[in-house]
């Protein structure tokens, strides 16, 4: 790894040779006889014919190759005042035992298992135990409400749900079991069992016959070996927000994923085996899957599992404490976390208490990183701050300043250049390439590199329609952006109705479904507007049914509760405004983007298709009255 340009060109011109070479960095039960293949629909697969096991790579391989006594995971939980360190051997044994529990319940290769658990060691055990026996896990983020969980249960049709009695949000206890019970009641598909890990901090009520106690099952369990799976067999399904209320089941295969995870640790993050690596995310998101669990373990690192927040647990120095205490080399988090720390401790006073000299890089992703946050972090920490761009769909970075090579000069606001394997282009709507600095759709020329989604769970058609049909021969990311004359790519934001709230990807369409179900609402639009801390937050605009009398504040209070209950508190849906009319095209499509631009104080072009241009003045008045976006304090 010496020259980015040479390696990048090789990866694009000859992807088969490039990735087959990378595939040699992991241990296969049967080496892949080929790189890329295409199925009858023309969809690409990586390493067909190869056999491996992802849990073997993450644990057993290291136990057999000199890392048995090295720490695999450091669980650091300021919310429970616990630090627990577990070696590769201990984790392997725990996982092998729990895999025995799963096997004992009849879970087999290909069966789906939904995991609804917080940031505790047992969650990592649950994921790896599924991988060990070839079961397909689907982790659902603990901040999602029962309805969201039910939708995912119906789509994945799990035999089993793995749960914990609850999560701890700063000091608030979130009881998970009532949410799971409600979800199973709402779902059509009924899992056979629910295994519950009872946390000492809170106890879940158990339903006789269906619910089983994690620790009781472990007492009699027998260790189970890794089951060889095909490279193209799914490792997991992770649901992510799309443009409709129905989330997309992103499929991750075993072979491509393992190869990309291993490759990325050195090439993207500059990390060596044995280093301490920390992704301060949640296992419910793709960053957690890839960089709390799989990549650091496959690479033989010590990974940090942090159950806390960047602030309030107990203060804005908590990240610096973790880095100092565990000698973290690489921190990966979302810009929102840095903004939260900056807001509480802008002078960096709390940093002075800690020696963070082990830190070599700060990586940021999950949302656009504003220049002020980027500069603040760089000046405070004195290490390279690397903004990199990726999605649940890819599972790893698509744009980055790759730390495995001499770093490029950075340009704040840009996630730098394409990662090896990604031919990133900016296209106009007519499929032609945009000029330097001209904004367009960010796309990737096919084939995508390993780990990227081969399809959506049991829905090839939706995969093709969502990602491949918008631009022939390209994968459409859903993001807009531009490339400058030096090839640096700037991501400007989503082009669809997906929003990013504190680095959490959410669908406004999903929230609209909930808002529209209120008996007073005739029609509505939910749009994401800029927010200083969270990057974006949703705002609801509602047209009332004729003759309905309800005050704006009363309606807001009811809708806020409904979205919390149906989608989850994590949506941060807090503002509602009543409007007489909504801006629409002549074909009836609500112009949400224009409403967002108005709220953000951005210039916009009046679309020629708008049906009622004069309604925009009304929208401005509504925003002023409700103090929305740039109109805060201007009413
Ligand atoms: N389970 C249950 N509830 C959850 C939850 C979870 N896993 N995660 C968040 N919530 C709830 C919170 O308790 C809060 O509820 P409230 O409205 O009753 O207070 C709500 O969802 C919003 O949560 P959050 O956005 O985390 O707000 P916060 O004020 O507690 O913290 C930040 C603000 C900026 C510190 C926090 O959002 C943060 O750390 N963001 C970075 C996110 C990140 O790392 N993303 C990684 C993706 S790569
Ligand atoms: P998720 O699938 O949750 O990882 O969210 C992916 C989306 O987050 C992308 O489509 C982008 O809109 C946004 N995103 C992620 N990383 C970045 C980044 N570095 N810069 C700008 N946007 C980003």
């Amino acid at each position: 790894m010496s020259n980015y340009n040479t390696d990048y060109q090789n990866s694009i011109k000859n992807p088969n040779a490039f990735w087959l070479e990378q595939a040699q960095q992991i241990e296969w039960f049967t080496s892949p006889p080929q790189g890329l293949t295409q199925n009858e629909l023309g969809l690409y697969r990586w390493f067909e014919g190869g056999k491996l096991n992802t849990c073997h790579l993450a644990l057993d391989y290291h136990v057999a190759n000199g890392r048995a006594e090295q720490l695999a995971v450091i669980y650091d939980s300021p919310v429970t005042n616990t630090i627990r360190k577990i070696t590769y051997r201990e984790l392997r044994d725990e996982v092998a035992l729990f895999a025995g529990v799963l096997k004992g319940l009849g879970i087999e290769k290909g069966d789906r298992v939904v995991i609804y658990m917080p940031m505790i060691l047992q969650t990592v055990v649950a994921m790896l135990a599924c991988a060990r026996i070839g079961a397909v896990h689907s982790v659902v983020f603990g901040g999602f409400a029962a309805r969201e969980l039910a939708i995912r249960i119906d789509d994945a049709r799990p035999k089993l749900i793995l749960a914990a009695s609850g999560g701890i949000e700063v000091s608030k206890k979130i009881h998970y079991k009532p949410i799971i019970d409600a979800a199973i009641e709402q779902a059509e598909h009924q899992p056979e069992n629910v295994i519950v890990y009872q946390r000492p901090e809170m106890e879940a009520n158990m339903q006789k016959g269906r619910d089983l106690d994690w620790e009781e099952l472990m007492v009699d369990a027998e260790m189970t070996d890794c089951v060889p799976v095909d490279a193209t067999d799914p490792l997991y399904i992770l649901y992510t927000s799309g443009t409709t209320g129905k989330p997309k089941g992103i499929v991750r295969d075993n072979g491509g994923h393992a190869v990309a995870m291993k490759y990325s640790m050195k090439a993207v993050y500059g990390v060596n085996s044995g280093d301490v690596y920390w992704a301060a995310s949640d296992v419910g998101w793709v960053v957690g899957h890839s960089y709390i669990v799989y990549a650091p373990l496959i690479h033989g690192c010590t990974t940090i599992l942090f159950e806390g927040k960047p602030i309030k647990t107990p203060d804005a120095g908590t990240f610096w404490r973790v880095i100092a205490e565990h000698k973290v080399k690489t921190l990966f988090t979302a810009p929102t976390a840095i903004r939260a720390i900056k807001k509480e401790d802008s002078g960096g006073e709390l940093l002075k208490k800690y020696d963070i000299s082990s830190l070599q890089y700060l990586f940021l992703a999950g949302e656009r990183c504003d220049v002020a946050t980027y500069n603040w972090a760089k000046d405070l920490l004195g290490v390279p701050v690397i903004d990199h761009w990726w999605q649940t769909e890819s599972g790893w970075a698509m744009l980055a300043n790759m730390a495995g090579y001499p770093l490029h000069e950075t340009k704040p606001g840009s996630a730098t250049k394409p990662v090896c394997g990604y031919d990133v282009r900016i296209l106009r709507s007519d499929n032609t390439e945009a000029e330097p600095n001209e904004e367009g759709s960010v796309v990737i020329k096919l084939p995508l590199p390993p780990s990227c989604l081969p399809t959506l769970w049991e829905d090839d058609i939706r995969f093709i329609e969502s990602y491949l049909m918008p631009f022939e021969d390209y994968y459409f990311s859903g993001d807009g952006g531009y490339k400058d004359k030096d090839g640096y790519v700037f991501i400007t934001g989503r082009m669809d109705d997906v929003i990013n709230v504190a680095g959490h990807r959410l669908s406004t369409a999903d929230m609209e479904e909930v808002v529209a179900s209120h008996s007073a609402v005739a029609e509505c639009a939910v749009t994401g507007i800029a927010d200083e801390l969270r990057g974006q937050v949703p705002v609801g605009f509602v047209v009332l049914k004729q003759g309905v009398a309800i005050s704006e504040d009363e309606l807001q209070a009811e809708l806020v509760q409904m979205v919390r209950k149906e989608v989850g508190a994590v949506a941060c849906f807090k503002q509602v405004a009543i409007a007489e009319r909504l801006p629409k095209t002549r074909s009836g499509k609500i112009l949400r983007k224009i409403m967002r631009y108005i709220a953000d104080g951005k210039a916009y072009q009046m679309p020629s298709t708008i049906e009622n241009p004069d309604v925009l003045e009304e929208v401005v008045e509504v925003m002023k009255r409700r103090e929305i976006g740039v109109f805060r304090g201007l009413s």
Side-chain angles (χ1 to χ4, degrees):
M1 246 179 245
S2 55
N3 186 301
Y4 163 77
N5 285 330
T6 313
D7 284 0
Y8 178 71
Q9 288 308 329
N10 284 341
S11 75
I12 300 304
K13 288 195 182 122
N14 197 345
N16 273 315
F18 184 88
W19 289 111
L20 280 167
E21 194 184 323
Q22 297 309 326
Q24 290 174 20
Q25 303 303 314
I26 61 165
E27 190 171 65
W28 296 81
F29 298 143
T30 306
S31 289
Q34 56 204 339
L36 269 172
T37 45
Q38 272 180 294
N39 70 9
E40 62 287 357
L41 289 174
L43 305 182
Y44 291 97
R45 306 307 308 254
W46 277 101
F47 308 124
E48 214 174 336
K51 281 195 183 291
L52 76 167
N53 181 286
T54 300
C55 180
H56 170 84
L57 297 174
L59 300 176
D60 302 61
Y61 173 82
H62 299 303
V63 173
N65 287 278
R67 295 192 187 278
E69 306 316 322
Q70 184 195 305
L71 292 183
V73 184
I74 300 176
Y75 165 61
D76 186 311
S77 168
V79 297
T80 58
N81 258 323
T82 316
I83 292 178
R84 194 180 150 204
K85 300 178 179 183
I86 180 164
T87 65
Y88 271 94
R89 187 197 304 280
E90 288 165 339
L91 184 59
R92 195 274 314 268
D93 290 353
E94 188 94 356
V95 168
L97 266 185
F98 194 66
V101 168
L102 299 181
K103 214 173 143 191
L105 287 173
I107 307 298
E108 289 173 2
K109 177 170 173 280
D111 287 340
R112 273 82 59 212
V113 175
V114 160
I115 301 177
Y116 189 73
M117 296 177 74
M119 288 286 286
I120 55 176
L121 268 173
Q122 287 71 19
T123 313
V124 178
V125 170
M127 292 165 76
L128 290 166
C130 289
R132 194 169 188 86
I133 58 168
V136 182
H137 65 67
S138 186
V139 183
V140 179
F141 175 60
F144 280 126
R147 171 178 159 276
E148 294 292 330
L149 182 55
I151 292 170
R152 287 155 176 80
I153 290 172
D154 275 338
D155 199 68
R157 287 175 289 107
K159 254 193 186 167
L160 178 69
I161 295 185
L162 301 178
S165 50
I168 301 165
E169 280 291 296
V170 188
S171 54
K172 197 171 43 178
K173 290 180 185 165
I174 313 278
H175 291 267
Y176 279 13
K177 194 56 194 343
I179 300 172
I180 293 166
D181 290 343
I184 295 177
E185 210 174 299
Q186 287 175 37
E188 264 177 45
H189 172 82
Q190 296 295 296
E192 288 166 21
N193 293 107
V194 180
I195 300 182
V196 183
Y197 177 76
Q198 298 278 15
R199 298 189 72 176
E201 294 78 16
M202 64 196 99
E203 197 175 325
N205 287 330
M206 306 290 269
Q207 187 174 308
K208 246 189 154 172
R210 187 196 69 188
D211 300 348
L212 305 165
D213 183 275
W214 181 298
E215 291 201 310
E216 280 174 19
L217 291 170
M218 285 290 262
V219 173
D220 298 321
E222 280 178 23
M223 289 202 197
T224 286
D225 266 343
C226 293
V227 170
V229 298
D230 289 332
T232 49
D233 279 336
L235 169 68
Y236 68 77
I237 308 165
L238 181 57
Y239 288 89
T240 191
S241 301
T243 46
T244 67
K246 187 174 183 260
K248 291 170 169 164
I250 305 298
V251 174
R252 189 83 60 222
D253 58 8
N254 274 277
H257 174 252
V259 170
M261 291 298 99
K262 172 72 183 158
Y263 168 75
S264 68
M265 286 302 279
K266 182 72 191 166
V268 177
Y269 297 100
V271 165
N272 296 316
S273 305
D275 286 347
V276 181
Y277 181 92
W278 180 21
S281 176
D282 188 289
V283 279
W285 304 108
V286 66
V287 173
H289 281 61
S290 294
Y291 292 104
I292 296 174
V293 183
Y294 288 111
L297 294 179
I298 290 173
H299 198 50
C301 292
T302 299
T303 182
I304 308 277
L305 181 71
F306 175 71
E307 189 183 27
K309 301 244 174 184
I311 51 172
K312 298 188 272 191
T313 57
D315 58 28
T318 198
F319 271 25
W320 320 140
R321 196 266 304 157
V322 172
I323 293 169
E325 194 161 339
H326 307 305
K327 306 263 179 302
V328 171
K329 176 172 171 182
T330 307
L331 170 62
F332 174 178
T333 190
T336 297
I338 302 296
R339 283 196 295 268
I341 296 171
K342 179 176 160 218
K343 200 168 158 215
E344 302 259 308
D345 181 27
S346 61
E349 290 304 314
L350 292 164
L351 180 62
K352 293 183 186 144
K353 285 167 58 181
Y354 303 102
D355 170 9
I356 62 155
S357 53
S358 61
L359 188 72
Q360 287 189 12
Y361 303 103
L362 169 65
F363 282 85
L364 298 174
E367 56 181 323
R368 214 181 75 79
C369 180
D370 55 285
V371 175
T373 302
Y374 175 87
N375 285 333
W376 184 81
K378 196 159 84 84
D379 294 345
L380 182 75
L381 301 176
V383 298
V385 176
I386 300 182
D387 174 15
H388 61 327
W389 172 70
W390 54 300
Q391 302 182 305
T392 309
E393 286 83 345
S394 63
W396 65 300
M398 301 182 280
L399 291 172
N401 203 347
M402 296 180 75
Y405 299 96
L407 289 176
H408 298 284
E409 197 185 312
T410 48
K411 298 192 186 185
S414 167
T416 318
K417 300 202 178 190
V419 165
C420 293
Y422 290 96
D423 187 354
V424 180
R425 314 266 183 105
I426 311 294
L427 293 192
R428 303 185 181 110
S429 49
D430 63 359
N431 244 36
T432 57
E433 264 191 68
E435 293 291 326
N437 298 324
E438 181 187 343
E439 199 168 333
S441 301
V442 183
V443 300
I444 296 157
K445 182 106 175 67
L446 297 175
L448 294 169
S451 167
C452 292
L453 77 171
T455 188
L456 293 175
W457 178 247
E458 293 186 333
D459 205 346
D460 288 339
I461 301 302
R462 189 175 180 199
F463 170 67
I464 292 168
E465 283 176 357
S466 309
Y467 298 105
L468 306 185
M469 276 185 27
F471 298 96
E472 205 181 331
D473 285 335
Y474 295 91
Y475 161 86
F476 175 43
S477 69
D479 282 341
Y482 61 93
K483 232 185 227 187
D484 73 5
K485 61 176 184 7
D486 303 320
Y488 283 64
V489 182
F490 293 73
I491 302 293
T492 49
R494 297 289 304 189
M495 301 181 80
D496 53 20
D497 298 328
V498 168
I499 61 171
N500 235 300
V501 181
H504 305 322
R505 175 166 159 183
L506 298 161
S507 158
T508 53
D510 194 15
M511 293 180 230
E512 276 179 16
E513 268 182 29
V514 177
V515 172
S517 69
H518 189 286
S519 58
V521 174
E523 63 176 343
C524 67
V526 174
T527 184
I529 68 162
D531 180 78
E532 255 179 26
L533 174 64
R534 291 186 163 82
Q536 279 188 307
V537 287
V539 174
F541 296 90
V542 166
V543 177
L544 293 181
K545 283 183 185 155
Q546 275 206 342
V548 170
I550 185 166
S551 79
E552 217 161 20
D553 285 343
E554 202 182 328
L555 181 66
Q556 175 171 284
E558 288 177 18
L559 290 175
V560 165
Q561 275 317 311
M562 282 170 69
V563 174
R564 280 179 79 89
K565 186 165 167 277
E566 303 281 310
V567 178
V570 74
C572 278
F573 180 84
K574 293 193 170 144
Q575 262 194 315
V576 172
I578 296 178
E580 289 291 316
R581 300 182 291 165
L582 298 173
K584 286 185 187 169
T585 62
R586 278 190 278 282
S587 61
K589 197 174 173 295
I590 299 172
L591 291 160
R592 296 172 182 82
K593 195 166 163 186
I594 289 207
M595 294 165 78
R596 188 175 87 215
Y597 276 37
I598 295 174
D600 292 350
K602 277 200 204 159
Y604 60 88
Q605 271 193 330
M606 183 75 78
S608 55
T609 53
I610 190 165
E611 185 198 29
N612 45 1
D614 52 320
V615 77
L616 295 180
E617 282 166 30
E618 289 172 32
V619 167
V620 170
E621 288 312 311
V622 168
M623 290 192 190
K624 277 189 186 159
R625 188 180 73 244
R626 298 299 282 172
E627 305 202 326
I628 289 168
V630 291
F631 301 102
R632 201 173 305 134
L634 294 183
S635 56

